[in-house]
């Protein structure tokens, strides 16, 4: 078992790997660090609980390349997170792309932007547990280490229902 006490801090280094056979109780701050070379890794075989803050860093190069991400946190907000900045007057900056995938839709790739770079009102507000997203950031985004924060998912996390339509252009895809 591992306990991070109130006011305590535990940083799991980017090259650190921690497997707990027992429980993790976090009443302080627990951060899993990431950089361009490697990500820290935490596996808890027991339960995770506590009133503290969990942060999972994700190194994301500003290279306009596409990367797939999925949040380890429960009910983390998308807009206003490190992954999608808060819009100004409902208009998002142009230095990133953020998409969800849904095979049940006519347009499979759902952009967080509507026309005119405004926020797509139909886009989900929170990351969905077990769901992947497609992202790209330009060199002007200003960050390369992005943080997930909140209570981490624990136990089995079911992926959203997979659609399969035989012969469909994207049959069986799921991020």
């Amino acid at each position: 078992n591992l306990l991070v006490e109130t006011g305590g801090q535990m940083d799991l280094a980017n090259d650190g790997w921690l497997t707990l056979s027992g429980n993790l109780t976090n009443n302080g701050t627990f951060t899993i660090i990431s950089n361009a070379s490697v990500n820290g890794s935490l596996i808890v075989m027991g339960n995770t609980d506590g009133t503290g803050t969990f942060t999972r860093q994700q190194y994301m190069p500003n290279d306009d390349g596409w990367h797939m991400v999925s949040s380890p946190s429960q009910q983390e907000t998308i807009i206003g997170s490190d992954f999608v900045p808060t819009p100004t007057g409902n208009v998002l900056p142009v230095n990133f792309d953020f998409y969800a995938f849904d095979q049940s839709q006519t347009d499979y790739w759902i952009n967080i932007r509507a026309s005119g770079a405004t926020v797509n009102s139909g886009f989900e507000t929170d990351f969905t547990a077990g769901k992947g997203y497609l992202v790209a950031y330009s060199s002007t985004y200003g960050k390369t280490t992005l943080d997930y924060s909140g209570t981490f998912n624990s136990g089995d996390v079911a992926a959203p229902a997979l659609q399969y339509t035989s012969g469909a252009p994207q049959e069986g895809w799921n991020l």
Side-chain angles (χ1 to χ4, degrees):
N1 293 327
L2 176 63
L3 168 65
V4 180
E5 295 191 15
T6 302
Q9 179 173 334
M10 169 121 185
D11 291 339
L12 183 56
N14 58 300
D15 60 352
W17 308 90
L18 176 61
T19 300
L20 293 174
S21 59
N23 301 320
L24 170 58
T25 301
N26 177 27
N27 293 319
T29 303
F30 192 108
T31 302
I32 303 170
I33 298 173
S34 172
N35 70 16
S37 301
V38 68
N39 299 311
S41 174
L42 171 67
I43 299 172
V44 179
M45 305 302 278
N47 296 314
T48 302
D49 63 8
T51 59
T53 302
F54 283 100
T55 300
R56 166 67 169 94
Q57 294 181 346
Q58 175 68 52
Y59 178 80
M60 193 69 57
N62 292 332
D63 60 1
D64 288 318
W66 291 101
H67 306 277
M68 294 183 189
V69 299
S70 183
S71 177
S73 302
Q74 297 174 10
Q75 295 185 331
E76 181 171 4
T77 301
I78 294 174
I79 294 178
S81 70
D82 276 359
F83 293 85
V84 177
T86 302
T88 302
N90 202 39
V91 176
L92 293 162
V94 296
N95 55 1
F96 76 98
D97 287 313
F98 194 94
Y99 288 85
F101 182 83
D102 188 343
Q103 188 198 17
S104 69
Q105 302 296 313
T106 304
D107 294 324
Y108 304 113
W109 294 103
I110 303 165
N111 194 335
I112 198 162
R113 298 176 201 282
S115 63
T118 59
V119 175
N120 176 353
S121 62
F123 203 89
E124 57 213 71
T125 57
D126 294 332
F127 283 96
T128 300
K131 182 175 182 176
Y133 299 87
L134 188 63
V135 299
Y137 300 95
S138 77
S139 59
T140 63
Y141 192 70
K143 289 184 175 186
T144 55
T145 303
L146 309 176
D147 291 347
Y148 301 100
S149 58
T151 304
F152 285 176
N153 293 308
S154 180
D156 293 337
V157 176
L162 178 62
Q163 295 271 326
Y164 179 79
T165 305
S166 181
Q170 309 293 330
E171 68 184 52
W173 281 35
N174 187 20
L175 297 181

